Amino acid sequence: MADWRPAAKPELLRLRAETLARLRRFFAARQVLEVETPLLAPATVTDVHIDSIPAELQLPGSSTRFFLQTSPEYAMKRLLAAGTGACYQICKSFRQGEAGARHNPEFTMLEWYRPGFDLVQLMDEVEQLLLDFVPQASVVRLSYRQVFLRHLEIDPHEIRLDALRELAGARLSLDGSALAATDCLQLLLAQIIEPLLPEFCFIHDYPADQAALAKIERDRSGVRVARRFELFCCGIELANGYHEELDAGELRTRFARDRQQRAQLGRTTPAPDEKLLAALEQGLPPCAGVALGVDRLLMLVAGAGSINEVLAFPIGRV
């Protein structure tokens, strides 16, 4: 007989409900507007490392290819350009091929945008939200350069590609001769540095080629860095935030580069989201935004070792 039972225990289902209520209270107290945007859309992200789940939508007289959204980012930025002001959303998001102890193809995301905020102000607010759930947390802030200097004695913004490949090969026991610089750095961060991070830690100012949709600016040393951060809690990446890039032309260039890299890797090449670009051309207010994994927050609060423990029906139980 098929196992019909939920994976999460009743007490964790209650914890989920309480968490969602607390998140809404947090934003209501700050007068941040809750919004809803579609989970299905005809466009999707071009990010080299994220694959969308396609869906064939039957409309009267036609069949159109849509995608389950990997995050509500694009639609929320269209709302910002239309003048909604500060807004947040708690919704399902979907990513192809992501399943494991910390991943489920369908997951719950909290995403919010703050017009007028810079990266530091957004980190402050993310920390306030974390402390609402984990009052004892002491959050350290380190730059991407600092963690690589501290744990691998290299400057990730300055190291030559051949030296970086050699280091990755030696520390990770793999052939790094064909790896791109970004791949080397991401592997070293995930496998060598992350296990050594403080229990609660922001890493900020990533290499410029890891900007995604974040602004690229020069730091105090004159190096171009991406104004973005990630929050790590007890070894889990919990949140990813940007000081948002506002220039439609710059994002169009990044989308084209993404598509070229995806083609070289033999992956699908989604077309850029023209409605997002049109919204940016109209004018996105200066803002900072962040996405936070609600299921991972539940794992943190409950002390769960697997995302399956906090989901009623993870992919193996649907």
Side-chain angles (χ1 to χ4, degrees), residues 118-288:
D118 62 18
L119 204 65
V120 173
Q121 290 169 303
L122 186 60
M123 282 193 284
D124 289 344
E125 188 161 72
V126 172
E127 184 171 344
Q128 291 165 13
L129 185 145
L130 174 66
L131 291 174
D132 199 41
F133 288 90
V134 191
Q136 75 277 14
S138 177
V139 188
V140 177
R141 300 185 185 187
L142 298 168
S143 72
Y144 196 89
R145 174 186 282 117
Q146 285 176 309
V147 296
F148 273 84
L149 285 171
R150 177 177 297 183
H151 297 294
L152 290 172
E153 299 183 334
I154 64 166
D155 186 330
H157 304 296
E158 302 288 352
I159 188 171
R160 299 189 322 274
L161 179 57
D162 57 347
L164 182 58
R165 285 171 168 170
E166 182 178 352
L167 175 65
R171 294 301 300 266
L172 302 171
S173 300
L174 52 76
D175 180 7
S177 60
L179 291 176
T182 296
D183 295 329
C184 291
L185 291 172
Q186 288 178 333
L187 287 169
L188 289 167
L189 178 66
Q191 298 188 31
I192 304 296
I193 296 175
E194 285 182 22
L196 304 174
L197 290 175
E199 192 173 25
F200 300 95
C201 177
F202 284 108
I203 297 179
H204 59 86
D205 290 350
Y206 278 62
D209 59 3
Q210 297 183 38
L213 273 63
K215 280 184 174 293
I216 296 175
E217 297 176 335
R218 294 194 181 276
D219 66 8
R220 293 179 181 178
S221 68
V223 172
R224 294 172 72 250
V225 297
R227 293 299 187 194
R228 56 172 290 210
F229 67 78
E230 290 183 305
L231 172 62
F232 294 89
C233 299
C234 303
I236 297 176
E237 179 200 333
L238 185 63
N240 184 15
Y242 303 155
H243 192 185
E244 302 292 345
E245 175 58 57
L246 308 179
D247 185 81
E250 169 64 19
L251 290 189
R252 189 179 290 279
T253 298
R254 294 187 196 178
F255 292 160
R257 184 168 58 244
D258 287 347
R259 296 178 77 241
Q260 182 180 32
Q261 292 177 12
R262 290 183 67 91
Q264 291 170 349
L265 294 169
R267 307 176 82 169
T268 57
T269 54
D273 188 331
E274 293 295 338
K275 290 183 179 178
L276 169 68
L277 294 170
L280 266 66
E281 288 168 357
Q282 174 65 30
L284 184 68
C287 61

Side-chain angles (χ1 to χ4, degrees), residues 91-113:
C91 66
K92 292 295 187 180
S93 295
F94 304 83
R95 298 189 181 181
Q96 187 76 269
E98 295 196 3
R102 300 177 184 177
H103 298 87
N104 195 66
E106 175 185 351
F107 58 99
T108 302
M109 181 176 284
L110 163 65
E111 190 152 332
W112 76 95
Y113 291 87

Side-chain angles (χ1 to χ4, degrees), residues 23-37 76 78-80 82-90 110-115 125:
L23 290 173
R24 289 189 164 94
R25 288 196 297 270
F26 180 89
F27 290 106
R30 290 160 176 78
Q31 298 184 312
V32 179
L33 177 69
E34 182 172 11
V35 298
E36 289 185 334
T37 58
M76 291 184 74
R78 289 166 60 186
L79 292 178
L80 288 165
T84 58
C87 58
Y88 80 98
Q89 181 167 186
I90 300 170
L110 163 65
E111 190 152 332
W112 76 95
Y113 291 87
R114 282 294 213 158
E125 188 161 72

